[in-house]
PDB file of all heavy atoms in Angstrom:
ATOM      1  N   TYR N  71      78.936  -5.874  87.498  1.00 96.00           N
ATOM      2  CA  TYR N  71      80.347  -5.422  87.511  1.00 96.00           C
ATOM      3  C   TYR N  71      81.104  -5.876  86.322  1.00 96.00           C
ATOM      4  O   TYR N  71      80.780  -6.968  85.695  1.00 96.00           O
ATOM      5  CB  TYR N  71      81.059  -5.895  88.792  1.00 96.00           C
ATOM      6  CG  TYR N  71      81.208  -7.354  88.965  1.00 96.00           C
ATOM      7  CD1 TYR N  71      82.327  -8.046  88.483  1.00 96.00           C
ATOM      8  CD2 TYR N  71      80.211  -8.124  89.590  1.00 96.00           C
ATOM      9  CE1 TYR N  71      82.421  -9.441  88.616  1.00 96.00           C
ATOM     10  CE2 TYR N  71      80.347  -9.522  89.777  1.00 96.00           C
ATOM     11  CZ  TYR N  71      81.414 -10.140  89.235  1.00 96.00           C
ATOM     12  OH  TYR N  71      81.579 -11.509  89.375  1.00 96.00           O
ATOM     13  N   GLN N  72      82.084  -5.109  85.913  1.00 93.00           N
ATOM     14  CA  GLN N  72      83.047  -5.488  84.926  1.00 93.00           C
ATOM     15  C   GLN N  72      84.437  -5.001  85.473  1.00 93.00           C
ATOM     16  O   GLN N  72      84.656  -3.825  85.542  1.00 93.00           O
ATOM     17  CB  GLN N  72      82.790  -4.749  83.591  1.00 93.00           C
ATOM     18  CG  GLN N  72      81.630  -5.278  82.803  1.00 93.00           C
ATOM     19  CD  GLN N  72      81.486  -4.566  81.455  1.00 93.00           C
ATOM     20  OE1 GLN N  72      81.354  -3.265  81.452  1.00 93.00           O
ATOM     21  NE2 GLN N  72      81.455  -5.289  80.385  1.00 93.00           N
ATOM     22  N   THR N  73      85.218  -5.928  85.891  1.00 87.00           N
ATOM     23  CA  THR N  73      86.546  -5.585  86.464  1.00 87.00           C
ATOM     24  C   THR N  73      87.654  -6.441  85.937  1.00 87.00           C
ATOM     25  O   THR N  73      87.411  -7.540  85.416  1.00 87.00           O
ATOM     26  CB  THR N  73      86.469  -5.753  88.019  1.00 87.00           C
ATOM     27  OG1 THR N  73      86.196  -7.146  88.298  1.00 87.00           O
ATOM     28  CG2 THR N  73      85.473  -4.838  88.656  1.00 87.00           C
ATOM     29  N   SER N  74      88.823  -5.945  86.008  1.00 83.00           N
ATOM     30  CA  SER N  74      90.010  -6.694  85.572  1.00 83.00           C
ATOM     31  C   SER N  74      90.482  -7.460  86.769  1.00 83.00           C
ATOM     32  O   SER N  74      91.175  -6.909  87.638  1.00 83.00           O
ATOM     33  CB  SER N  74      91.110  -5.725  85.012  1.00 83.00           C
ATOM     34  OG  SER N  74      91.372  -4.750  86.054  1.00 83.00           O
ATOM     35  N   GLY N  75      90.088  -8.730  86.825  1.00 83.00           N
ATOM     36  CA  GLY N  75      90.460  -9.531  87.985  1.00 83.00           C
ATOM     37  C   GLY N  75      89.311  -9.586  88.974  1.00 83.00           C
ATOM     38  O   GLY N  75      88.567  -8.576  89.149  1.00 83.00           O
ATOM     39  N   PHE N  76      89.160 -10.675  89.676  1.00 88.00           N
ATOM     40  CA  PHE N  76      88.070 -10.859  90.615  1.00 88.00           C
ATOM     41  C   PHE N  76      88.559 -11.746  91.777  1.00 88.00           C
ATOM     42  O   PHE N  76      89.029 -12.861  91.544  1.00 88.00           O
ATOM     43  CB  PHE N  76      86.827 -11.449  89.949  1.00 88.00           C
ATOM     44  CG  PHE N  76      85.643 -11.639  90.845  1.00 88.00           C
ATOM     45  CD1 PHE N  76      84.803 -10.659  91.133  1.00 88.00           C
ATOM     46  CD2 PHE N  76      85.499 -12.862  91.513  1.00 88.00           C
ATOM     47  CE1 PHE N  76      83.673 -10.864  91.968  1.00 88.00           C
ATOM     48  CE2 PHE N  76      84.419 -13.113  92.408  1.00 88.00           C
ATOM     49  CZ  PHE N  76      83.510 -12.054  92.617  1.00 88.00           C
ATOM     50  N   ASN N  77      88.456 -11.195  93.005  1.00 86.00           N
ATOM     51  CA  ASN N  77      88.831 -11.945  94.135  1.00 86.00           C
ATOM     52  C   ASN N  77      87.693 -11.928  95.257  1.00 86.00           C
ATOM     53  O   ASN N  77      88.025 -11.985  96.382  1.00 86.00           O
ATOM     54  CB  ASN N  77      90.157 -11.453  94.719  1.00 86.00           C
ATOM     55  CG  ASN N  77      90.796 -12.466  95.674  1.00 86.00           C
ATOM     56  OD1 ASN N  77      90.762 -13.617  95.463  1.00 86.00           O
ATOM     57  ND2 ASN N  77      91.383 -11.886  96.738  1.00 86.00           N
ATOM     58  N   GLY N  78      86.497 -11.747  94.763  1.00 91.00           N
ATOM     59  CA  GLY N  78      85.387 -11.722  95.716  1.00 91.00           C
ATOM     60  C   GLY N  78      84.632 -10.418  95.680  1.00 91.00           C
ATOM     61  O   GLY N  78      85.121  -9.412  95.188  1.00 91.00           O
ATOM     62  N   LEU N  79      83.370 -10.520  96.124  1.00 94.00           N
ATOM     63  CA  LEU N  79      82.482  -9.365  96.092  1.00 94.00           C
ATOM     64  C   LEU N  79      81.936  -9.149  97.482  1.00 94.00           C
ATOM     65  O   LEU N  79      81.458 -10.148  98.143  1.00 94.00           O
ATOM     66  CB  LEU N  79      81.365  -9.587  95.108  1.00 94.00           C
ATOM     67  CG  LEU N  79      80.397  -8.424  94.841  1.00 94.00           C
ATOM     68  CD1 LEU N  79      79.988  -8.378  93.398  1.00 94.00           C
ATOM     69  CD2 LEU N  79      79.218  -8.502  95.816  1.00 94.00           C
ATOM     70  N   PHE N  80      81.969  -7.949  97.958  1.00 94.00           N
ATOM     71  CA  PHE N  80      81.499  -7.560  99.299  1.00 94.00           C
ATOM     72  C   PHE N  80      80.278  -6.669  99.195  1.00 94.00           C
ATOM     73  O   PHE N  80      80.138  -5.911  98.268  1.00 94.00           O
ATOM     74  CB  PHE N  80      82.581  -6.811 100.058  1.00 94.00           C
ATOM     75  CG  PHE N  80      83.792  -7.606 100.361  1.00 94.00           C
ATOM     76  CD1 PHE N  80      84.787  -7.790  99.432  1.00 94.00           C
ATOM     77  CD2 PHE N  80      84.019  -8.162 101.644  1.00 94.00           C
ATOM     78  CE1 PHE N  80      85.969  -8.475  99.667  1.00 94.00           C
ATOM     79  CE2 PHE N  80      85.170  -8.852 101.936  1.00 94.00           C
ATOM     80  CZ  PHE N  80      86.132  -9.050 100.944  1.00 94.00           C
ATOM     81  N   TRP N  81      79.422  -6.807 100.192  1.00 96.00           N
ATOM     82  CA  TRP N  81      78.318  -5.832 100.385  1.00 96.00           C
ATOM     83  C   TRP N  81      78.523  -5.185 101.727  1.00 96.00           C
ATOM     84  O   TRP N  81      78.800  -5.798 102.757  1.00 96.00           O
ATOM     85  CB  TRP N  81      76.966  -6.548 100.382  1.00 96.00           C
ATOM     86  CG  TRP N  81      76.482  -6.903  99.008  1.00 96.00           C
ATOM     87  CD1 TRP N  81      76.588  -8.071  98.368  1.00 96.00           C
ATOM     88  CD2 TRP N  81      75.766  -6.011  98.102  1.00 96.00           C
ATOM     89  NE1 TRP N  81      76.006  -8.017  97.107  1.00 96.00           N
ATOM     90  CE2 TRP N  81      75.492  -6.738  96.903  1.00 96.00           C
ATOM     91  CE3 TRP N  81      75.303  -4.689  98.188  1.00 96.00           C
ATOM     92  CZ2 TRP N  81      74.809  -6.199  95.824  1.00 96.00           C
ATOM     93  CZ3 TRP N  81      74.666  -4.167  97.099  1.00 96.00           C
ATOM     94  CH2 TRP N  81      74.363  -4.904  95.931  1.00 96.00           C
ATOM     95  N   TYR N  82      78.371  -3.809 101.722  1.00 95.00           N
ATOM     96  CA  TYR N  82      78.512  -3.005 102.918  1.00 95.00           C
ATOM     97  C   TYR N  82      77.237  -2.156 103.100  1.00 95.00           C
ATOM     98  O   TYR N  82      76.623  -1.782 102.148  1.00 95.00           O
ATOM     99  CB  TYR N  82      79.751  -2.106 102.806  1.00 95.00           C
ATOM    100  CG  TYR N  82      81.017  -2.814 102.945  1.00 95.00           C
ATOM    101  CD1 TYR N  82      81.662  -3.345 101.866  1.00 95.00           C
ATOM    102  CD2 TYR N  82      81.614  -2.896 104.218  1.00 95.00           C
ATOM    103  CE1 TYR N  82      82.898  -3.972 102.008  1.00 95.00           C
ATOM    104  CE2 TYR N  82      82.859  -3.563 104.340  1.00 95.00           C
ATOM    105  CZ  TYR N  82      83.519  -4.086 103.222  1.00 95.00           C
ATOM    106  OH  TYR N  82      84.717  -4.704 103.367  1.00 95.00           O
ATOM    107  N   GLN N  83      76.948  -1.884 104.370  1.00 96.00           N
ATOM    108  CA  GLN N  83      75.880  -0.961 104.676  1.00 96.00           C
ATOM    109  C   GLN N  83      76.582   0.344 105.227  1.00 96.00           C
ATOM    110  O   GLN N  83      77.514   0.214 105.968  1.00 96.00           O
ATOM    111  CB  GLN N  83      74.999  -1.516 105.758  1.00 96.00           C
ATOM    112  CG  GLN N  83      73.842  -0.600 106.210  1.00 96.00           C
ATOM    113  CD  GLN N  83      73.154  -1.138 107.510  1.00 96.00           C
ATOM    114  OE1 GLN N  83      73.756  -1.259 108.529  1.00 96.00           O
ATOM    115  NE2 GLN N  83      71.853  -1.469 107.368  1.00 96.00           N
ATOM    116  N   GLN N  84      76.090   1.528 104.826  1.00 94.00           N
ATOM    117  CA  GLN N  84      76.660   2.751 105.284  1.00 94.00           C
ATOM    118  C   GLN N  84      75.591   3.690 105.675  1.00 94.00           C
ATOM    119  O   GLN N  84      74.810   4.071 104.816  1.00 94.00           O
ATOM    120  CB  GLN N  84      77.589   3.319 104.276  1.00 94.00           C
ATOM    121  CG  GLN N  84      78.355   4.569 104.837  1.00 94.00           C
ATOM    122  CD  GLN N  84      79.271   5.209 103.783  1.00 94.00           C
ATOM    123  OE1 GLN N  84      78.991   5.159 102.592  1.00 94.00           O
ATOM    124  NE2 GLN N  84      80.280   5.877 104.255  1.00 94.00           N
ATOM    125  N   HIS N  85      75.529   4.088 106.901  1.00 93.00           N
ATOM    126  CA  HIS N  85      74.634   5.181 107.323  1.00 93.00           C
ATOM    127  C   HIS N  85      75.385   6.496 107.123  1.00 93.00           C
ATOM    128  O   HIS N  85      76.610   6.556 107.193  1.00 93.00           O
ATOM    129  CB  HIS N  85      74.226   5.011 108.805  1.00 93.00           C
ATOM    130  CG  HIS N  85      73.189   3.970 108.973  1.00 93.00           C
ATOM    131  ND1 HIS N  85      73.580   2.656 109.423  1.00 93.00           N
ATOM    132  CD2 HIS N  85      71.863   3.890 108.824  1.00 93.00           C
ATOM    133  CE1 HIS N  85      72.517   1.871 109.495  1.00 93.00           C
ATOM    134  NE2 HIS N  85      71.486   2.602 109.145  1.00 93.00           N
ATOM    135  N   ALA N  86      74.606   7.554 106.895  1.00 88.00           N
ATOM    136  CA  ALA N  86      75.190   8.809 106.578  1.00 88.00           C
ATOM    137  C   ALA N  86      76.178   9.302 107.637  1.00 88.00           C
ATOM    138  O   ALA N  86      75.883   9.252 108.798  1.00 88.00           O
ATOM    139  CB  ALA N  86      74.060   9.917 106.452  1.00 88.00           C
ATOM    140  N   GLY N  87      77.346   9.697 107.201  1.00 87.00           N
ATOM    141  CA  GLY N  87      78.413  10.191 108.067  1.00 87.00           C
ATOM    142  C   GLY N  87      79.138   9.155 108.853  1.00 87.00           C
ATOM    143  O   GLY N  87      79.948   9.519 109.718  1.00 87.00           O
ATOM    144  N   GLU N  88      78.919   7.890 108.526  1.00 90.00           N
ATOM    145  CA  GLU N  88      79.602   6.788 109.217  1.00 90.00           C
ATOM    146  C   GLU N  88      80.399   5.980 108.209  1.00 90.00           C
ATOM    147  O   GLU N  88      80.223   6.045 107.004  1.00 90.00           O
ATOM    148  CB  GLU N  88      78.604   5.926 109.930  1.00 90.00           C
ATOM    149  CG  GLU N  88      77.780   6.698 111.005  1.00 90.00           C
ATOM    150  CD  GLU N  88      76.785   5.745 111.690  1.00 90.00           C
ATOM    151  OE1 GLU N  88      76.805   4.492 111.539  1.00 90.00           O
ATOM    152  OE2 GLU N  88      75.945   6.347 112.492  1.00 90.00           O
ATOM    153  N   ALA N  89      81.280   5.070 108.734  1.00 88.00           N
ATOM    154  CA  ALA N  89      82.016   4.204 107.872  1.00 88.00           C
ATOM    155  C   ALA N  89      81.164   3.043 107.421  1.00 88.00           C
ATOM    156  O   ALA N  89      80.162   2.699 108.057  1.00 88.00           O
ATOM    157  CB  ALA N  89      83.225   3.712 108.674  1.00 88.00           C
ATOM    158  N   PRO N  90      81.568   2.405 106.351  1.00 92.00           N
ATOM    159  CA  PRO N  90      80.782   1.198 105.929  1.00 92.00           C
ATOM    160  C   PRO N  90      80.934   0.068 106.881  1.00 92.00           C
ATOM    161  O   PRO N  90      82.024  -0.110 107.485  1.00 92.00           O
ATOM    162  CB  PRO N  90      81.475   0.843 104.566  1.00 92.00           C
ATOM    163  CG  PRO N  90      82.227   2.066 104.141  1.00 92.00           C
ATOM    164  CD  PRO N  90      82.589   2.780 105.436  1.00 92.00           C
ATOM    165  N   THR N  91      79.938  -0.702 107.060  1.00 92.00           N
ATOM    166  CA  THR N  91      79.971  -1.912 107.894  1.00 92.00           C
ATOM    167  C   THR N  91      79.723  -3.139 107.003  1.00 92.00           C
ATOM    168  O   THR N  91      78.825  -3.145 106.124  1.00 92.00           O
ATOM    169  CB  THR N  91      78.949  -1.839 109.031  1.00 92.00           C
ATOM    170  OG1 THR N  91      77.679  -1.668 108.509  1.00 92.00           O
ATOM    171  CG2 THR N  91      79.327  -0.738 109.986  1.00 92.00           C
ATOM    172  N   PHE N  92      80.474  -4.112 107.285  1.00 91.00           N
ATOM    173  CA  PHE N  92      80.452  -5.390 106.459  1.00 91.00           C
ATOM    174  C   PHE N  92      79.078  -6.129 106.619  1.00 91.00           C
ATOM    175  O   PHE N  92      78.584  -6.305 107.741  1.00 91.00           O
ATOM    176  CB  PHE N  92      81.591  -6.292 106.932  1.00 91.00           C
ATOM    177  CG  PHE N  92      81.516  -7.665 106.320  1.00 91.00           C
ATOM    178  CD1 PHE N  92      81.995  -7.901 105.046  1.00 91.00           C
ATOM    179  CD2 PHE N  92      81.097  -8.763 107.021  1.00 91.00           C
ATOM    180  CE1 PHE N  92      81.964  -9.174 104.481  1.00 91.00           C
ATOM    181  CE2 PHE N  92      81.091 -10.024 106.543  1.00 91.00           C
ATOM    182  CZ  PHE N  92      81.502 -10.230 105.222  1.00 91.00           C
ATOM    183  N   LEU N  93      78.549  -6.552 105.435  1.00 94.00           N
ATOM    184  CA  LEU N  93      77.395  -7.370 105.473  1.00 94.00           C
ATOM    185  C   LEU N  93      77.601  -8.752 105.022  1.00 94.00           C
ATOM    186  O   LEU N  93      77.178  -9.731 105.606  1.00 94.00           O
ATOM    187  CB  LEU N  93      76.265  -6.699 104.574  1.00 94.00           C
ATOM    188  CG  LEU N  93      75.643  -5.382 105.061  1.00 94.00           C
ATOM    189  CD1 LEU N  93      74.638  -4.895 104.037  1.00 94.00           C
ATOM    190  CD2 LEU N  93      74.990  -5.569 106.407  1.00 94.00           C
ATOM    191  N   SER N  94      78.274  -8.872 103.815  1.00 94.00           N
ATOM    192  CA  SER N  94      78.451 -10.205 103.237  1.00 94.00           C
ATOM    193  C   SER N  94      79.610 -10.274 102.288  1.00 94.00           C
ATOM    194  O   SER N  94      80.055  -9.217 101.804  1.00 94.00           O
ATOM    195  CB  SER N  94      77.152 -10.655 102.540  1.00 94.00           C
ATOM    196  OG  SER N  94      76.978  -9.877 101.373  1.00 94.00           O
ATOM    197  N   TYR N  95      79.970 -11.510 101.975  1.00 92.00           N
ATOM    198  CA  TYR N  95      81.096 -11.732 101.067  1.00 92.00           C
ATOM    199  C   TYR N  95      80.757 -12.966 100.201  1.00 92.00           C
ATOM    200  O   TYR N  95      80.318 -14.004 100.730  1.00 92.00           O
ATOM    201  CB  TYR N  95      82.368 -12.035 101.826  1.00 92.00           C
ATOM    202  CG  TYR N  95      83.517 -12.553 101.031  1.00 92.00           C
ATOM    203  CD1 TYR N  95      84.255 -11.650 100.257  1.00 92.00           C
ATOM    204  CD2 TYR N  95      83.941 -13.900 101.124  1.00 92.00           C
ATOM    205  CE1 TYR N  95      85.410 -12.123  99.555  1.00 92.00           C
ATOM    206  CE2 TYR N  95      85.050 -14.317 100.369  1.00 92.00           C
ATOM    207  CZ  TYR N  95      85.737 -13.484  99.607  1.00 92.00           C
ATOM    208  OH  TYR N  95      86.848 -13.919  98.929  1.00 92.00           O
ATOM    209  N   ASN N  96      80.965 -12.836  98.925  1.00 94.00           N
ATOM    210  CA  ASN N  96      80.746 -13.991  97.950  1.00 94.00           C
ATOM    211  C   ASN N  96      81.986 -14.054  97.103  1.00 94.00           C
ATOM    212  O   ASN N  96      82.461 -13.038  96.517  1.00 94.00           O
ATOM    213  CB  ASN N  96      79.528 -13.727  97.060  1.00 94.00           C
ATOM    214  CG  ASN N  96      78.219 -13.716  97.805  1.00 94.00           C
ATOM    215  OD1 ASN N  96      77.926 -12.729  98.501  1.00 94.00           O
ATOM    216  ND2 ASN N  96      77.441 -14.728  97.646  1.00 94.00           N
ATOM    217  N   VAL N  97      82.493 -15.240  96.888  1.00 92.00           N
ATOM    218  CA  VAL N  97      83.603 -15.456  95.990  1.00 92.00           C
ATOM    219  C   VAL N  97      83.234 -16.598  95.009  1.00 92.00           C
ATOM    220  O   VAL N  97      83.707 -16.653  93.875  1.00 92.00           O
ATOM    221  CB  VAL N  97      84.939 -15.752  96.686  1.00 92.00           C
ATOM    222  CG1 VAL N  97      84.873 -17.071  97.435  1.00 92.00           C
ATOM    223  CG2 VAL N  97      86.022 -15.688  95.703  1.00 92.00           C
ATOM    224  N   LEU N  98      82.351 -17.511  95.444  1.00 93.00           N
ATOM    225  CA  LEU N  98      81.811 -18.576  94.584  1.00 93.00           C
ATOM    226  C   LEU N  98      80.393 -18.276  94.190  1.00 93.00           C
ATOM    227  O   LEU N  98      79.712 -17.581  94.898  1.00 93.00           O
ATOM    228  CB  LEU N  98      81.922 -19.944  95.266  1.00 93.00           C
ATOM    229  CG  LEU N  98      83.289 -20.323  95.725  1.00 93.00           C
ATOM    230  CD1 LEU N  98      83.292 -21.622  96.521  1.00 93.00           C
ATOM    231  CD2 LEU N  98      84.268 -20.495  94.530  1.00 93.00           C
ATOM    232  N   ASP N  99      79.957 -18.836  93.066  1.00 96.00           N
ATOM    233  CA  ASP N  99      78.605 -18.667  92.626  1.00 96.00           C
ATOM    234  C   ASP N  99      77.608 -19.243  93.615  1.00 96.00           C
ATOM    235  O   ASP N  99      77.852 -20.306  94.301  1.00 96.00           O
ATOM    236  CB  ASP N  99      78.337 -19.368  91.289  1.00 96.00           C
ATOM    237  CG  ASP N  99      79.086 -18.685  90.134  1.00 96.00           C
ATOM    238  OD1 ASP N  99      79.643 -17.578  90.378  1.00 96.00           O
ATOM    239  OD2 ASP N  99      79.137 -19.279  89.034  1.00 96.00           O
ATOM    240  N   GLY N 100      76.484 -18.539  93.842  1.00 96.00           N
ATOM    241  CA  GLY N 100      75.435 -19.062  94.715  1.00 96.00           C
ATOM    242  C   GLY N 100      75.011 -18.051  95.691  1.00 96.00           C
ATOM    243  O   GLY N 100      75.380 -16.871  95.639  1.00 96.00           O
ATOM    244  N   LEU N 101      74.231 -18.559  96.583  1.00 96.00           N
ATOM    245  CA  LEU N 101      73.573 -17.707  97.632  1.00 96.00           C
ATOM    246  C   LEU N 101      74.221 -17.900  98.982  1.00 96.00           C
ATOM    247  O   LEU N 101      74.480 -19.033  99.403  1.00 96.00           O
ATOM    248  CB  LEU N 101      72.080 -18.089  97.713  1.00 96.00           C
ATOM    249  CG  LEU N 101      71.175 -17.253  98.529  1.00 96.00           C
ATOM    250  CD1 LEU N 101      71.034 -15.845  97.895  1.00 96.00           C
ATOM    251  CD2 LEU N 101      69.833 -17.923  98.688  1.00 96.00           C
ATOM    252  N   GLU N 102      74.497 -16.782  99.693  1.00 93.00           N
ATOM    253  CA  GLU N 102      75.004 -16.840 101.014  1.00 93.00           C
ATOM    254  C   GLU N 102      73.915 -16.151 101.916  1.00 93.00           C
ATOM    255  O   GLU N 102      73.498 -15.082 101.629  1.00 93.00           O
ATOM    256  CB  GLU N 102      76.357 -16.038 101.175  1.00 93.00           C
ATOM    257  CG  GLU N 102      77.525 -16.668 100.422  1.00 93.00           C
ATOM    258  CD  GLU N 102      78.076 -17.782 101.168  1.00 93.00           C
ATOM    259  OE1 GLU N 102      77.846 -17.930 102.395  1.00 93.00           O
ATOM    260  OE2 GLU N 102      78.821 -18.632 100.516  1.00 93.00           O
ATOM    261  N   GLU N 103      73.501 -16.882 102.910  1.00 93.00           N
ATOM    262  CA  GLU N 103      72.392 -16.360 103.759  1.00 93.00           C
ATOM    263  C   GLU N 103      72.936 -16.094 105.128  1.00 93.00           C
ATOM    264  O   GLU N 103      73.657 -16.888 105.757  1.00 93.00           O
ATOM    265  CB  GLU N 103      71.279 -17.365 103.836  1.00 93.00           C
ATOM    266  CG  GLU N 103      70.595 -17.541 102.479  1.00 93.00           C
ATOM    267  CD  GLU N 103      69.316 -18.433 102.566  1.00 93.00           C
ATOM    268  OE1 GLU N 103      68.288 -17.885 102.922  1.00 93.00           O
ATOM    269  OE2 GLU N 103      69.409 -19.640 102.293  1.00 93.00           O
ATOM    270  N   LYS N 104      72.545 -14.923 105.723  1.00 89.00           N
ATOM    271  CA  LYS N 104      72.950 -14.511 107.048  1.00 89.00           C
ATOM    272  C   LYS N 104      71.858 -13.730 107.677  1.00 89.00           C
ATOM    273  O   LYS N 104      71.743 -12.527 107.478  1.00 89.00           O
ATOM    274  CB  LYS N 104      74.250 -13.704 106.955  1.00 89.00           C
ATOM    275  CG  LYS N 104      74.946 -13.492 108.271  1.00 89.00           C
ATOM    276  CD  LYS N 104      76.089 -12.488 108.135  1.00 89.00           C
ATOM    277  CE  LYS N 104      77.255 -13.100 107.454  1.00 89.00           C
ATOM    278  NZ  LYS N 104      78.458 -12.195 107.452  1.00 89.00           N
TER     279      LYS N 104
END
Side-chain angles (χ1 to χ4, degrees):
Chain N
Y71 65 90
Q72 286 181 305
T73 58
S74 54
F76 179 85
N77 195 39
L79 187 144
F80 294 81
W81 282 96
Y82 287 87
Q83 179 191 63
Q84 186 182 28
H85 286 98
E88 299 179 11
T91 55
F92 170 80
L93 290 178
S94 69
Y95 170 76
N96 295 72
V97 67
L98 300 176
D99 290 351
L101 188 68
E102 293 282 340
E103 296 186 82
K104 191 187 289 187

